């Protein structure tokens, strides 16, 4: 392809992908399948690989272009980012309206009510239509520059869309239509980054499976994600953004009202609130708040209230602001659904990674549609901070409307018989003194049992191995695993493969038929794909998706366990933390012995996902030069194999050449290779490098 054609195709692809991003993430009405989208995206990636000069900062491929950083530089907002005062009752809303009316005597007031999204406020700055900076609110004046992280969010446009020209004039009109409105030279646009509930649940499930600490609610998950120093991690988090305001705007007139402003933002490519209410009186306003309370429960993300804003921007100007908040807007907080019940006991759960989680055992109570008898207390710190005592009456709520959490103790109802909970110094399962500290990415507030032979951990590891997401061994649930461990029949997952019908039949409530079924399940698990094995091993940070990515990059378990820090990071989504964790696991002789016993049992270590491909092939990043006539392969065939393994074929030998493949009657290139000390290989060796044995 020549340069000009490449340039044209590049522009076309960028425009197409941007349009589909807009339809999918902003409007919510995709026009093509994910498959078709991926094809366009791949074509763009390949084109840019071939013509790197075409890459612009706003190319759709550059969403995850940023490098990990040590810290975020500060960023000063051109216009301050204010916060909002809160109201909690209809009375307070009436008072607010009266206050504003006193500031604007005799004027007609119109209001907009919109959902208050429970996320984090950020500001994006576009210069000449291109995203230049994205920053957190910080103290309102200065925030953190987190541009690379924000670019990974698909509902953040990397460049502004040209607002479409107004509708064509009626037929017969002789005037030319007015031109499309110009883009602002500078636009600071404000909105909320949030994580939808479904994405949050999925993320927590993955973290649970990978032995990582779960996030308490979607808002914490969004905040924790934006704090990541490596944008590749942020890119995997299901974050979205909704926009509701502007800061500095230069070069174009700002629409005169809030509803018009939101329409304008949407035409520029921004996702705006799903629904807003335009109200002209206090009564309309209060009715809108009621409607929004019903509406917000249908949204796929959490909202913690409503925001009431004066519609006219000119009137806002005249109201002004206090140091903290504007006088023309207010938040209205809906009371979260709560219930009161007795905290009967606090128990400690030991997970398969040894993490000790305190659990509130509650007098069952009905709350937002379900009966709740247990709630997480997260960690020791949380219990102390909230001063929650055993025997207390406690208020529980669905935090972020998802997980039941203990909000507070009702101190007024204390009788004096309540007891301060003493967090155990020893593992309740095995008695080993517990430890805590900052390990690879693991929070220090969590106490852990450091004993790998702790029965709770042993059970947890075996249950995890058998679980549907891992080796999928039918019957290997909590009850049976507990029996197997208690009777000493199974100490680790390799022991499963030595179990006999007779042994199983000796267990309580185990008939011959169930025993045989279980053994069949175990037998079948030997054929599972490598990623399931890898995930099943329960290496810290290696969840199902990381396991899949590793087994796309490496052909066998041995290749993964013997890989270097650098090689591991060739796998997509694998950064230093994950690589470190794998190295640590692989360096433990106990784990190595386990792997050998699994191998001896006949468990499959080969990946069927492995593709010798550009992303992770064995020759990834390598440059080869062909010279002379090879015994079996034509030049084209050899080139295809090298490329399929991720390598590149060059026409001349230089210091950057990794291998020269020499056949019969090789000439000057072979000579050059010898001079430069470049390794010379033959066809057979090439095939070995590509992961094949003979042509
Ligand atoms: S307007 C000066 N609109 O709520 C106007 N804020 O409690 C300030 N928020 O910092 C913000 N949804 O993070 C506005 N539709 C919405 C909002 C919203 C959520 C957040 C925002 C703000 C906080 C104030």
């Amino acid at each position: 392809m020549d340069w000009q054609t490449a340039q044209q195709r590049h522009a076309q692809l960028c425009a197409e992908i941007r349009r589909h991003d807009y339809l999918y993430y902003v409007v919510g009405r995709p026009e093509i399948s994910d498959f078709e989208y991926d094809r366009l995206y791949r074509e763009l990636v390949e084109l840019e690989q071939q013509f790197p000069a075409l890459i612009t900062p706003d190319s759709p491929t550059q969403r995850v272009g940023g490098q990990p950083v040590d810290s975020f530089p500060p960023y000063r907002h051109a216009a301050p980012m204010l916060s909002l005062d809160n109201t909690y009752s209809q009375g307070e809303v009436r008072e607010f309206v009266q206050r504003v009316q006193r500031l604007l005597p005799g004027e007609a007031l119109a209001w907009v009510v919109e959902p208050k999204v429970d996320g984090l406020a950020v500001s994006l700055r576009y210069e000449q239509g291109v995203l230049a900076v994205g920053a957190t609110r910080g103290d309102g004046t200065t925030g953190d520059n987190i541009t690379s992280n924000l670019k990974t969010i698909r509902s953040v446009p990397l460049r502004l869309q040209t607002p479409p020209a107004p509708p064509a004039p009626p037929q017969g009109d002789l005037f030319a239509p007015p031109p499309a409105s110009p883009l602002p030279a500078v636009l600071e646009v404000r909105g909320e980054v949030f994580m939808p509930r479904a994405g949050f649940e999925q993320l927590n499930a993955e973290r649970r499976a990978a032995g990582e600490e779960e996030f308490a609610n979607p808002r914490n998950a969004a905040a924790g994600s934006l704090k990541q120093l490596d944008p590749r991690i942020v890119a995997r988090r299901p974050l979205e953004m909704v926009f509701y305001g502007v800061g500095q705007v230069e070069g174009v007139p700002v629409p005169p009202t809030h509803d018009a402003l939101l329409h304008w933002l949407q035409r520029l490519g921004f996702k705006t609130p799903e629904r807003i209410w335009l109200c002209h009186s206090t009564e309309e306003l209060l009715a809108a708040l009621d409607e929004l309370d019903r509406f917000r429960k249908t949204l796929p993300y959490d909202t913690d209230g409503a925001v009431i804003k004066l519609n006219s921007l000119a009137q806002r100007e005249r109201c002004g602001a206090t140091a903290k908040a504007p006088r023309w807007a207010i938040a209205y907080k809906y009371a979260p659904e709560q219930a009161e019940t007795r905290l009967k006991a606090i128990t400690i759960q030991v997970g398969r990674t040894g993490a000790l989680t305190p659990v509130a055992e509650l007098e069952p109570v009905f709350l937002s549609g379900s009966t709740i008898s247990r709630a997480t207390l997260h960690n020791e710190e949380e219990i102390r901070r909230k001063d929650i005592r055993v025997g207390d009456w406690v208020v529980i709520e669905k935090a972020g409307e998802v997980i039941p959490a203990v909000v507070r103790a009702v101190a007024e109802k204390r009788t004096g018989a309540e007891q301060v909970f003493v967090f155990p110094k020893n593992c309740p399962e095995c008695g080993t003194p517990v430890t805590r500290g900052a390990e690879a990415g693991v929070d220090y507030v969590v106490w852990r049992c450091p004993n790998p032979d702790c029965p709770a951990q042993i059970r947890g590891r075996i249950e995890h191995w058998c679980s549907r997401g891992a080796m999928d061994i039918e019957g290997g649930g909590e009850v049976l695993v507990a029996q197997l461990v208690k009777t000493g029949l199974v100490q680790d997952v390799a022991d499963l493969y030595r179990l006999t019908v007779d042994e199983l039949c000796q267990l309580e409530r185990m008939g011959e038929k169930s025993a045989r079924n279980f053994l069949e399940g175990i037998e079948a698990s030997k054929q599972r794909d490598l990623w399931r094995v890898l995930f099943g091993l329960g290496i810290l940070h290696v969840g199902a998706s990381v396991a899949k990515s590793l087994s796309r990059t490496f052909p066998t378990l041995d290749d993964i366990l013997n890989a270097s820090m650098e090689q591991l990071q060739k796998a997509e989504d694998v950064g230093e933390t994950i690589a470190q964790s794998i190295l640590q696991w692989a360096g433990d002789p106990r784990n190595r012995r386990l792997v050998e016993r699994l191998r001896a049992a006949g468990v499959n270590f080969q990946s069927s996902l492995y593709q010798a491909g550009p992303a992770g092939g064995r020759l990834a990043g390598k440059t080869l030069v062909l010279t002379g006539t090879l015994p079996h392969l034509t030049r084209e065939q050899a080139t295809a194999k090298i490329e399929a393994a991720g390598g590149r074929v060059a026409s001349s030998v230089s210091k950057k050449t990794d291998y020269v493949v020499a056949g019969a009657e090789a000439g000057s290139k072979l000579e050059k290779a010898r001079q430069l000390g470049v390794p010379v290989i033959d066809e057979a060796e090439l095939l070995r490098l590509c992961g094949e044995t003979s042509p």
Side-chain angles (χ1 to χ4, degrees), residues 27-235:
V27 189
R29 257 182 279 125
E31 281 177 5
I32 58 172
S33 67
D34 289 0
F35 180 78
E36 285 169 293
Y37 179 91
D38 288 345
R39 205 169 46 197
L40 289 174
Y41 192 86
R42 263 204 319 274
E43 187 184 340
L44 182 64
V45 170
E46 279 160 21
L47 190 62
E48 289 184 348
Q49 263 166 7
Q50 216 182 330
F51 298 95
L54 289 174
I55 303 174
T56 51
D58 64 345
S59 158
T61 61
Q62 297 308 295
R63 287 200 179 270
V64 206
Q67 290 301 309
V69 292
D70 294 329
S71 63
F72 300 115
Y75 175 76
R76 208 182 155 87
H77 303 291
M81 286 180 80
L82 296 178
S83 182
L84 292 172
D85 288 330
N86 289 323
T87 53
Y88 298 90
S89 68
Q90 295 201 346
E92 285 177 327
V93 172
R94 285 180 195 281
E95 283 168 24
F96 162 72
V97 172
Q98 285 160 8
R99 260 197 321 274
V100 175
Q101 189 72 77
R102 279 198 296 276
L103 292 167
L104 306 168
E107 294 184 35
L109 306 181
W111 304 96
V112 170
V113 173
E114 57 192 27
K116 186 168 188 300
V117 184
D118 201 9
L120 293 104
V122 309
S123 178
L124 304 178
R125 184 182 172 89
Y126 290 80
E127 288 171 2
Q128 308 305 334
V130 177
L131 176 60
V133 185
T136 60
R137 192 178 97 85
D139 62 6
T141 312
T142 307
D144 287 340
N145 181 332
I146 53 164
T147 314
S148 301
N149 285 354
L150 292 171
K151 275 174 123 178
T152 67
I153 303 174
R154 295 299 185 122
S155 37
V156 167
L158 297 182
R159 68 146 77 182
L160 301 179
Q161 204 167 272
T162 317
Q171 277 210 336
D173 196 324
L174 293 176
F175 298 105
S181 28
L183 288 176
V186 173
L187 171 66
E188 262 187 1
V189 58
R190 269 89 196 256
E192 203 82 354
V193 174
F194 63 95
M195 191 177 288
R197 273 192 295 271
F200 162 76
E201 302 275 12
Q202 163 103 32
L203 175 65
N204 261 358
E206 284 170 12
R207 290 175 74 86
R208 199 161 44 237
E212 294 168 341
E213 210 173 318
E214 293 173 50
F215 288 110
N217 55 49
R219 188 182 182 282
N220 284 7
S225 300
L226 285 187
K227 273 197 210 126
Q228 294 296 321
L229 297 169
D230 183 349
R232 287 175 303 180
I233 299 180
V234 190

Side-chain angles (χ1 to χ4, degrees), residues 27 126 302 403 525:
V27 189
Y126 290 80
D302 286 347
I403 324 165
S525 77

Side-chain angles (χ1 to χ4, degrees), residues 414-495:
R414 281 193 179 145
T415 62
E418 297 76 16
Q419 303 215 312
V420 172
F421 180 70
V422 184
F423 208 88
K425 293 275 167 285
N426 297 78
C427 171
E429 283 281 341
C430 69
T432 307
V434 294
T435 58
R436 67 178 176 183
E439 319 152 19
V442 177
D443 217 337
Y444 74 94
V445 291
V446 174
W447 286 101
R448 278 170 199 272
C449 165
N451 170 20
D453 297 322
C454 170
Q457 292 185 48
I458 293 176
R459 289 196 305 267
R461 285 196 294 265
I462 298 168
E463 274 174 42
H464 173 66
W465 177 265
C466 296
S467 69
R468 190 143 349 130
M471 296 299 268
D472 194 13
I473 300 174
E474 181 96 32
E478 206 176 318
V479 179
L480 178 58
V481 170
Q483 277 180 299
L484 291 172
V485 174
K486 199 164 156 215
T487 52
L489 282 175
V490 174
Q491 284 295 310
D492 60 33
V493 298
D495 288 342

Side-chain angles (χ1 to χ4, degrees), residues 487-552:
T487 52
L489 282 175
V490 174
Q491 284 295 310
D492 60 33
V493 298
D495 288 342
L496 290 170
Y497 296 87
R498 295 197 321 214
L499 285 172
T500 64
V501 176
D502 286 348
E503 283 171 336
L504 286 171
C505 284
Q506 279 160 28
L507 297 174
E508 253 175 73
R509 285 192 300 275
M510 174 67 84
E512 195 183 319
K513 185 146 191 291
S514 322
R516 286 195 192 282
N517 284 344
F518 184 49
L519 288 185
E520 261 169 41
I522 293 174
E523 187 59 30
S525 77
K526 292 180 184 171
Q527 307 308 323
R528 300 275 184 261
D529 202 359
L530 173 62
W531 72 265
R532 288 181 172 273
V533 178
L534 192 56
F535 173 49
L537 288 173
I539 303 170
L540 186 63
H541 302 308
V542 180
S545 74
V546 169
K548 282 184 192 164
S549 151
L550 283 163
S551 58
R552 273 194 290 270

